[in-house]
Amino acid sequence: MRKNFFINMGLKSKLILTMSSIFILFSLVLFLISQNAQKRLIKEMEENIDDLTKAIQVSVEKLTSEEQKNPEVLKELIMKFKKKGINEISILSESREIIASTNPKKIGLIAKSTKDSDFLIKAELGVKSKEEYIKTINVPIIIGDENYGYINIVMHLENLTDIQKRNFYLRLFTTMLIFIFGTTIIIYLADKYTKPIHMIVDATKRVSKGDLTPIGIDISLGPEIKDLVVNFNQMIEKLKERQILENKIKKMEHIYQIGQLSSAIAHEIKNPLNFINLAIDQIKDELKQIDTEAKAIELLKAVGSEIDRINNLVHHFLEYGKPLKLNMEYINLLQLFKDIEKIIKTKTDDLNIKIDFNIDKNINFLGDKEKLAGCFLNLFLNSIDSIKSDGFIIITGMKKNDKIIIHFRDSGHGIPEMIAEKIFEPYFSSKDTGMGLGLAFTRKILIEHGGDIWLNKEYKNGAEFIISIPTNI
Ligand SMILES: Nc1ncnc2c1ncn2[C@@H]1O[C@H](COP(=O)(O)OP(=O)(O)OP(=O)(O)O)[C@@H](O)[C@H]1O
Ligand SMILES: [Mg+2]
């Protein structure tokens, strides 16, 4: 339950909780360290003061006794004091000459003093230390009205400084430790939160390639990431639904086109059938007369050609209804156009139609070479039909991102606005002999490649078609 509570917390709350915990921990540790250091300091100070009090007490007792100048007594005294950290005791005369000392070398010397005073006792407290840690105190000894002189106490405070130093290092160390601890938690959290984001980035790439598998929801994910994953999966679901819908629409479009084709075919079939019927009736009549063999043969030829036309219509109808199977291969765009040019060259030369290519020779793509050649050949034939004679066809090809854009322009009579909407419909033709399937097939094949073809209505000096094909590489 508790664990779940932490897992379900947002990143912001988690960070606030972590930082607050670190702050509380840090304050607590610092408090304990300073408490400890304070205790040690007080203890050290107490010991020093204790020593100092004892030194004064003992010194005064000795000073007021008769044996005060006896070095043996002093030695005894120092033995006691050494245990307390007092290293040296000297007794000075009024003229500041050391008359007795635990350090025999000092006897007879004049004690140095910053003050113009007389030292009776010189005491050192603490372990010997450097100049900067030494504190000197002068205490006057007055018994009755008589000033016996001064007690000079030298205190070595290195121990106190040591405590402070230790305290500082301890604080530094704990600060570092808590900092490392905090950083580790934050790195862990950052890692935990960025990992699922990488996972989602990978999934996005997968989706863009068409793989619509949802992401698995991990219980340990934070609520924000969980939300993101849930939304992402919902998006995938919607994409799936859309894909299904698109497929349905494609099928319906196909059925609609087939329906259109069927009615066009029925209409087209009716004409030759009527003609065939009439022709057969005429043949019957003609055959009754003897010398009409030649005429009958002519009529039978016409019947044959009408039957061919029906055959052709049915063949294309079946072709159009079939789903296309593309045989993909690498194609060089310029080479493809040059190959088609070879087929029509004699015709264009005869009609004085100039063909110009403005295509980068490095444009390569994946496609069905044969079917695309058929598409472009139909565009050439349409342009030739439109130009009739003396004119030009210009083809420009360029690569834009992952697409190839082709402009196919001719100097023919152009396409009137009235029929511009119909030219891609199957069986629409303005020509006597045209089937009206060229552009319909061309568009179908290009769409199957993931591309398209449309008429540039802005171009008025002829016709211009624009074609897009994905490179698929
Ligand atoms: N370059 C062009 N210039 C002028 N009109 C054109 C051009 N290309 C196509 N068209 C018009 O579009 C119509 C449809 O063309 P499409 O190629 O589909 O059929 P078609 O050429 O008539 O017959 P076919 O099935 O033999 O190709 C043409 O009949 C013509 O009216
Ligand atoms: Mg055509």
Side-chain angles (χ1 to χ4, degrees):
M1 177 74 188
R2 259 184 165 184
K3 200 182 161 200
N4 272 351
F5 173 70
F6 187 73
I7 287 170
N8 290 331
M9 270 171 112
L11 177 63
K12 207 164 122 188
S13 314
K14 272 183 190 163
L15 283 176
I16 291 173
L17 189 73
T18 309
M19 292 319 284
S20 312
S21 312
I22 289 171
F23 175 72
I24 293 167
L25 188 70
F26 190 53
S27 311
L28 201 75
V29 171
L30 281 187
F31 174 74
L32 288 176
I33 290 172
S34 68
Q35 272 300 86
N36 193 273
Q38 233 171 7
K39 268 187 200 160
R40 285 171 65 94
L41 250 158
I42 288 168
K43 202 175 158 220
E44 188 70 26
M45 287 297 286
E46 271 174 3
E47 273 178 10
N48 277 354
I49 288 165
D50 206 31
D51 289 346
L52 184 63
T53 327
K54 278 199 179 124
I56 294 166
Q57 188 195 348
V58 174
S59 306
V60 171
E61 272 171 20
K62 293 291 165 187
L63 274 169
T64 48
S65 80
E66 274 309 303
E67 305 131 345
Q68 60 158 305
K69 285 164 192 170
N70 185 351
E72 288 308 313
V73 180
L74 282 173
K75 265 185 194 159
E76 228 175 86
L77 202 62
I78 196 71
M79 288 310 280
K80 276 189 202 165
F81 286 174
K82 257 196 175 158
K83 285 176 196 158
K84 303 278 175 199
I86 298 170
N87 295 320
E88 190 184 303
I89 297 178
S90 307
I91 299 178
L92 284 80
S93 72
E94 285 177 8
S95 57
R96 277 194 281 134
E97 186 192 338
I98 298 172
I99 48 172
S101 173
T102 49
N103 184 354
K105 284 180 194 162
K106 287 195 176 171
I107 297 173
L109 297 175
I110 302 295
K112 286 176 214 158
S113 168
T114 44
K115 275 189 181 175
D116 192 25
S117 54
D118 293 330
F119 295 105
L120 290 171
I121 288 181
K122 213 172 164 245
E124 281 190 43
L125 300 179
V127 187
K128 281 243 181 249
S129 57
K130 287 179 200 159
E131 201 78 24
E132 65 256 40
Y133 303 126
I134 297 172
K135 176 106 180 113
T136 309
I137 303 167
N138 290 326
V139 186
I141 305 295
I142 300 159
I143 299 166
D145 290 337
E146 205 179 328
N147 184 354
Y148 280 80
Y150 293 87
I151 300 173
N152 172 244
I153 299 151
V154 180
M155 292 171 82
H156 294 269
L157 300 174
E158 203 163 53
N159 270 7
L160 296 183
T161 328
D162 270 356
I163 289 172
Q164 265 181 328
K165 254 190 202 166
R166 266 193 59 171
N167 187 10
F168 170 74
Y169 285 129
L170 209 60
R171 277 178 195 219
L172 191 73
F173 177 70
T174 40
T175 310
M176 264 169 60
L177 212 67
I178 288 169
F179 178 74
I180 292 169
F181 175 65
T183 315
T184 316
I185 289 184
I186 286 175
I187 289 174
Y188 167 76
L189 279 177
D191 203 45
K192 197 170 143 48
Y193 273 81
T194 48
K195 235 185 216 167
I197 290 172
H198 287 309
M199 183 176 89
I200 290 168
V201 170
D202 286 345
T204 319
K205 282 184 192 157
R206 236 181 42 218
V207 169
S208 71
K209 282 181 187 156
D211 177 1
L212 297 180
T213 323
I215 305 176
I217 300 178
D218 188 347
I219 296 292
S220 66
L221 297 173
E224 297 94 343
I225 302 292
K226 232 192 237 171
D227 261 8
L228 191 64
V229 171
V230 168
N231 281 327
F232 190 83
N233 283 348
Q234 277 174 359
M235 186 191 81
I236 288 180
E237 274 311 306
K238 287 214 171 110
L239 279 176
K240 264 188 196 167
E241 282 168 18
R242 211 179 140 159
Q243 212 177 43
I244 293 168
L245 204 75
E246 267 175 13
N247 284 344
K248 268 187 191 166
I249 291 172
K250 247 189 188 174
K251 260 188 197 164
M252 277 165 70
E253 254 178 19
H254 196 69
I255 291 167
Y256 169 77
Q257 281 176 350
I258 302 248
Q260 265 196 325
L261 266 180
S262 314
S263 59
I265 285 260
H267 180 78
E268 288 294 318
I269 287 176
K270 246 176 22 190
N271 290 343
L273 282 182
N274 279 339
F275 172 79
I276 291 166
N277 247 342
L278 288 173
I280 288 171
D281 284 345
Q282 215 179 324
I283 290 167
K284 273 187 209 156
D285 289 345
E286 296 290 341
L287 280 180
K288 284 175 192 160
Q289 302 158 35
I290 304 155
D291 61 333
T292 52
E293 204 177 322
K295 177 84 176 156
I297 287 170
E298 205 179 291
L299 280 168
L300 282 175
K301 262 189 192 166
V303 169
S305 95
E306 285 304 292
I307 289 173
D308 275 351
R309 204 160 108 78
I310 296 173
N311 210 12
N312 237 347
L313 274 171
V314 174
H315 172 76
H316 283 299
F317 175 72
L318 292 175
E319 274 293 293
Y320 194 83
K322 264 192 224 163
L324 282 177
K325 255 193 198 159
L326 300 179
N327 294 318
M328 302 297 249
E329 59 185 301
Y330 283 100
I331 304 169
N332 178 275
L333 190 67
L334 182 62
Q335 195 51 53
L336 180 69
F337 273 103
K338 290 242 160 121
D339 289 346
I340 303 165
E341 190 195 19
K342 277 179 209 158
I343 304 170
I344 50 165
K345 188 131 179 62
T346 342
K347 199 169 183 176
T348 48
D349 280 353
D350 287 350
L351 298 169
N352 193 26
I353 297 172
K354 201 172 167 291
I355 299 175
D356 251 353
F357 296 123
N358 187 7
I359 303 170
D360 181 356
K361 64 175 188 307
N362 295 321
I363 300 178
N364 296 303
F365 65 104
L366 260 181
D368 187 317
K369 204 173 187 173
E370 219 174 283
K371 290 199 170 66
L372 287 172
C375 292
F376 296 131
L377 181 64
N378 178 57
L379 292 181
F380 274 114
L381 295 177
N382 281 351
S383 291
I384 294 167
D385 285 346
S386 170
I387 297 166
K388 290 187 178 73
S389 67
D390 304 305
F392 61 84
I393 299 171
I394 302 175
I395 296 131
T396 316
M398 59 199 130
K399 215 173 148 181
K400 267 192 189 166
N401 302 324
D402 53 353
K403 274 183 185 161
I404 298 166
I405 304 289
I406 302 160
H407 288 250
F408 200 106
R409 181 180 279 194
D410 66 45
S411 63
H413 56 66
I415 300 170
E417 233 170 276
M418 269 171 62
I419 66 162
E421 298 300 324
K422 295 182 185 166
I423 56 171
F424 291 105
E425 282 175 16
Y427 293 99
F428 173 81
S429 176
S430 62
K431 303 167 193 170
D432 295 338
T433 49
M435 294 259 290
L437 280 175
L439 284 180
F441 263 116
T442 300
R443 181 139 194 258
K444 187 175 153 85
I445 288 165
L446 284 166
I447 287 177
E448 212 61 37
H449 275 83
D452 205 351
I453 176 168
W454 60 96
L455 179 73
N456 179 13
K457 291 178 185 165
E458 310 291 315
Y459 188 70
K460 302 287 179 205
N461 304 321
E464 183 181 72
F465 288 93
I466 304 173
I467 298 134
S468 89
I469 311 173
T471 51
N472 282 333
I473 296 177

